[in-house]
Amino acid sequence: MALSQEAAEVFSINALGWIVGQEDVLPAFLGASGSSEEDIRLRIGDSEFLLSVLDFLMMDDQWVISCCDALQVPYERVHEARQSMPGGAEMNWT
């Protein structure tokens, strides 16, 4: 199911909220993204930043499962949202 860009951004913001609420995941996000907690507040509406949230989340299957369970959405929602974001389409190099 294709999501609208707006729905993908809303999901990404909700996923970011889940990340921020996880004391074991938040430090990993901050380290991997090079962001600070202030950056999160400033860039929450930036689609490029939200795309990086989804990329980070997809680094660990357990994070995807836990986040989607908490948000009560199907596990494939992370991938659907990523594809619906500007610059989020999968690259095909062949």
Side-chain angles (χ1 to χ4, degrees), residues 38-49:
E38 180 65 17
D39 292 332
I40 291 173
R41 285 187 285 280
L42 294 174
R43 297 191 67 200
I44 197 162
D46 178 352
S47 60
E48 185 178 304
F49 178 72

